[in-house]
């Protein structure tokens, strides 16, 4: 899967599964500070990534996700790794 | 399409009454059982005969893989679970000094580990739906304690703490988590105690009699209903005034 494809799929998940405002989603947007995703929301994000991209994200790797682009990076690395 | 409820340990006793009640209220009901397949089939047949929809599903709810498989088959047959009733439970009584570690583990695993596993499995779709009800069957034994039931009372008190914690975790997503603590209810489980114990217990019940499984089921029905939308983290005692 191409990075652009992953990015657009992720943006879709953020709107549909986490109920985020599409206008606020940018690559640099921080989940907690800018998008106001709470701790349970982060877990929902991880579950959505795992379910939709077929990857497994252990807790220690989950901690590297701060922004939208970092989430894309992790999925790209997982799919290519 | 009707809402889906899954009741663990629903082939007999309180679980059976809960399954029948929820089905009568229009829920499509997953009837979980561990080993009594004929009894579970009879519950399903009774529901279907009354025009309802139900599905029997075998699973040892203390086993993680079995729980995953159970949820997959219920979702396949009926749809995502909107109301989960964690009812499955066993007793294996004994004074603590004579209680084996195996007695402890089997009771705590069946009664408490199962609640963790099933709730975790159910929450995935409830979070996505932004709604859901988890109703855990605790016991007055877990609130007041009961000699000979160190394992059982610990598992049932554990359910109360679990209920409060998870209610706080998922409340922001419109999901409520509550418990019901039945007292002495007429089931196979209490029948095993023998007439003398039951008679002695009845003297301590304000209403002077044992409860019926249907009287516990009606509290479950209330917690599953729209009317209970603002109640979460609570334990409703249904014991005829035993624990007063």
């Amino acid at each position: 899967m191409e990075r652009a494809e992953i990015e657009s799929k992720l943006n879709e998940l953020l709107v549909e599964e986490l109920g985020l405002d599409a206008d606020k989603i940018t690559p640099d947007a921080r989940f907690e500070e800018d998008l106001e995703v709470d701790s349970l929301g982060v877990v929902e994000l991880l579950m959505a990534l795992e379910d939709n991209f077929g990857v497994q994200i252990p807790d220690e790797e989950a901690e590297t996700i701060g922004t939208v682009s970092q989430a894309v990076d992790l999925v790209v690395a997982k799919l290519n790794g | 399409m009707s809402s889906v409820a899954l009741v663990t340990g629903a082939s007999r006793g309180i679980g059976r009454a809960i399954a029948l009640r929820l089905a009568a209220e229009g829920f499509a009901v997953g009837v979980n059982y561990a080993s009594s397949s004929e009894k579970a089939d009879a519950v399903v047949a009774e529901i279907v005969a009354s025009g309802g929809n139900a599905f029997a599903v075998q699973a040892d709810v203390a086993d993680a893989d079995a729980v995953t498989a159970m949820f997959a088959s219920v979702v396949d047959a009926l749809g995502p679970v909107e109301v989960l009733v964690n009812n499955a439970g066993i007793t294996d009584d004994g004074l603590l000094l004579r209680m084996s570690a195996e007695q402890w583990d089997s009771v705590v695993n069946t009664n408490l580990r199962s609640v963790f596993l099933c709730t975790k499995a159910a929450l995935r779709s409830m979070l996505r739906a932004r709604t859901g009800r988890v109703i855990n069957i605790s016991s007055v034994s877990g609130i007041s304690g009961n000699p000979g039931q160190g394992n059982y009372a610990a598992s049932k008190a554990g359910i109360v703490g679990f209920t409060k914690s998870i209610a706080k975790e998922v409340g922001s997503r419109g999901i409520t988590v509550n418990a019901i603590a039945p007292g002495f209810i007429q089931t196979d489980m209490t029948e095993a105690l023998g007439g003398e114990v039951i008679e002695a217990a009845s003297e301590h019940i304000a209403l002077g009699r044992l409860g019926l499984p249907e009287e516990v089921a009606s509290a479950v029905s209330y917690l599953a209903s729209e009317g209970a939308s603002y109640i979460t983290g609570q334990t409703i005692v249904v014991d005829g005034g035993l624990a007063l």
Side-chain angles (χ1 to χ4, degrees):
Chain A
M1 207 183 285
E2 296 283 327
R3 186 187 168 88
E5 198 183 334
I6 292 169
E7 195 170 348
S8 100
K9 178 75 186 158
L10 174 66
N11 289 358
E12 202 180 298
L13 291 175
L14 293 176
V15 173
E16 285 175 10
E17 307 253 344
L18 273 74
L20 299 183
D21 183 350
D23 296 339
K24 288 188 179 165
I25 301 170
T26 64
D28 293 333
R30 295 167 299 175
F31 285 109
E32 289 182 28
E33 296 86 342
D34 302 323
L35 300 172
E36 294 172 359
V37 174
D38 62 11
S39 59
L40 184 56
V42 172
V43 173
E44 289 180 276
L45 168 65
L46 294 173
M47 291 188 329
L49 294 178
E50 291 183 341
D51 291 349
N52 287 279
F53 294 106
V55 297
Q56 287 292 318
I57 304 172
D59 282 351
E60 55 271 25
E61 290 181 42
E63 284 167 14
T64 66
I65 303 178
T67 65
V68 174
S69 70
Q70 283 168 347
V72 178
D73 289 343
L74 185 63
V75 175
V76 170
K78 284 273 166 196
L79 290 177
N80 295 334
Chain B
M1 224 174 73
S2 43
S3 296
V4 176
L6 171 61
V7 184
T8 68
S11 63
R12 54 204 171 118
I14 294 173
R16 175 178 179 278
I18 293 168
L20 294 174
R21 175 70 187 253
L22 292 177
E25 283 168 13
F27 284 94
V29 182
V31 176
N32 160 256
Y33 66 96
S35 53
S36 318
S37 75
E38 281 175 22
K39 286 181 176 167
D41 288 343
V43 174
V44 170
E46 191 171 339
I47 290 171
V48 171
S50 317
N53 186 11
F55 170 72
V57 56
Q58 193 282 330
D60 169 2
V61 285
D63 181 293
D65 291 338
V67 167
T68 303
M70 170 175 74
F71 272 83
S73 61
V74 170
V75 170
D76 253 12
L78 306 174
V81 174
E82 291 158 66
V83 174
L84 169 66
V85 183
N86 285 309
N87 165 78
I90 57 168
T91 55
D92 192 349
D93 298 351
L95 294 175
L96 194 70
L97 291 170
R98 302 290 293 170
M99 185 180 287
S100 68
E102 289 72 26
Q103 270 175 292
W104 174 271
D105 287 343
S106 73
V107 169
V108 171
N109 284 343
T110 300
N111 297 4
L112 185 57
R113 186 174 203 263
S114 62
V115 175
F116 154 67
L117 292 173
C118 293
T119 305
K120 186 176 167 184
L123 281 179
R124 281 183 93 102
S125 61
M126 288 181 182
L127 283 170
R128 200 165 291 144
R130 292 290 189 267
T131 183
R133 300 283 166 91
V134 178
I135 301 161
N136 301 318
I137 306 303
S138 175
S139 166
V140 160
S141 182
I143 293 170
S144 304
N146 202 17
Q149 291 201 311
N151 50 1
Y152 184 78
S155 70
K156 294 299 187 177
I159 286 176
V160 172
F162 177 86
T163 298
K164 292 177 186 177
S165 299
I166 309 312
K168 289 184 176 182
E169 278 189 26
V170 299
S172 64
R173 302 304 194 268
I175 301 165
T176 68
V177 187
N178 289 291
I180 289 171
F184 277 103
I185 306 299
Q186 283 180 27
T187 62
D188 295 347
M189 196 187 272
T190 49
E191 195 145 322
L193 296 170
E196 267 177 46
V197 177
I198 292 173
E199 212 164 289
S202 299
E203 285 173 23
H204 299 284
I205 301 171
L207 292 178
R209 63 171 177 86
L210 267 61
L212 299 172
E214 291 74 20
E215 290 174 309
V216 178
S218 71
V220 172
S221 152
Y222 171 62
L223 288 175
S225 75
E226 193 45 45
S229 54
Y230 201 56
I231 298 175
T232 196
Q234 302 303 305
T235 299
I236 298 180
V237 177
V238 181
D239 71 345
L242 169 68
L244 294 175

